[in-house]
Amino acid sequence: MKKAFSKQEALAYLWIVLGTGLIASAFHVFIEPNDLLVSGTGGIALLIVHFFPISLGVAYFVLNIPLFLIGWCSVGTDFLLKSTCGTVSLSFFLSLFAFLPSISHAILGAILGGLLSGIGIGIVMATGGTTGGIDIVSVVIHQKYTWSIGSVMFWINAAIVVEGTYLFGWQKAILTVLSLYVTTWMVNSILKRYPPV
């Protein structure tokens, strides 16, 4: 029984790595080239950096500390370990995949970027982990109020994008919301078929 459990856990971490690889690919190929607004904790960090003289890395790290603590207290150690794996592997792939070719087409980038990101996030969450940041908050709210994880992610991220609209323009905001909608649909579809373990 213990051996089977170990294999299952190892497979879960491999799925997390695969999922974060897809998310990083979506960012470099579709999202960044089309100047879509950054959602989640990264988007909040960008807003903070815009108003305060601190580095993006520091802002992102500090924002994630309380979120990981909330996730650990609410969901448990296994969730924390898998989310740490998701956050670290995503950071790694974001750096590694910078060489990937980009597709500069705003609408196509929003749709395909949202689709690929949604598949990656859905895979990670189906294992019982997250990629950190807003994903953690979405899981905690889902457990307390039974709202779908994807829907919680969408509304939190939409609020962040609305704030970013004042700084970066409404056209980017509309395309970003389109991308978030596609991501939400894909995450919900995956989690309905494969509920988090």
Side-chain angles (χ1 to χ4, degrees):
M1 183 69 179
K2 188 174 181 181
K3 187 175 181 180
F5 175 79
S6 297
K7 286 183 178 179
Q8 183 180 359
E9 285 298 293
L11 186 60
Y13 282 96
L14 286 175
W15 278 113
I16 290 173
V17 171
L18 172 63
T20 54
L22 293 176
I23 297 168
S25 299
F27 177 78
H28 285 297
V29 177
F30 299 112
I31 296 174
E32 185 182 38
N34 293 291
D35 294 323
L36 298 178
L37 300 180
V38 178
S39 58
T41 310
I44 297 174
L46 282 173
L47 292 174
I48 291 174
V49 169
H50 184 81
F51 294 105
F52 299 98
I54 59 176
S55 72
L56 181 61
V58 170
Y60 185 79
F61 178 77
V62 171
L63 285 171
N64 265 295
I65 291 175
L67 297 178
F68 268 92
L69 290 174
I70 291 170
W72 176 50
C73 293
S74 302
V75 188
T77 303
D78 184 59
F79 173 82
L80 178 66
L81 292 174
K82 288 179 178 176
S83 294
T84 300
C85 174
T87 303
V88 171
S89 59
L90 178 58
S91 299
F92 172 74
F93 285 130
L94 283 172
S95 298
L96 182 65
F97 289 170
F99 69 91
L100 290 175
S102 60
I103 296 179
S104 298
H105 188 289
I107 297 178
L108 188 65
I111 295 173
L112 294 182
L115 189 67
L116 196 57
S117 294
I119 293 172
I121 294 170
I123 288 173
V124 173
M125 287 189 163
T127 69
T130 69
T131 58
I134 298 302
D135 293 0
I136 294 176
V137 178
S138 300
V139 170
V140 173
I141 292 176
H142 166 71
Q143 289 203 339
K144 291 184 179 296
Y145 300 102
T146 66
W147 299 338
S148 73
I149 293 175
S151 297
V152 175
M153 288 173 56
F154 175 82
W155 288 111
I156 293 176
N157 284 324
I160 296 170
V161 170
V162 168
E163 292 296 322
T165 303
Y166 294 103
L167 301 176
F168 306 109
W170 63 269
Q171 290 179 320
K172 291 181 182 179
I174 290 175
L175 289 171
T176 302
V177 170
L178 171 62
S179 182
L180 289 175
Y181 178 81
V182 175
T183 299
T184 299
W185 174 79
M186 181 52 66
V187 170
N188 282 337
S189 298
I190 291 175
L191 295 183
K192 283 179 182 178
R193 187 172 180 84
Y194 304 102
V197 296

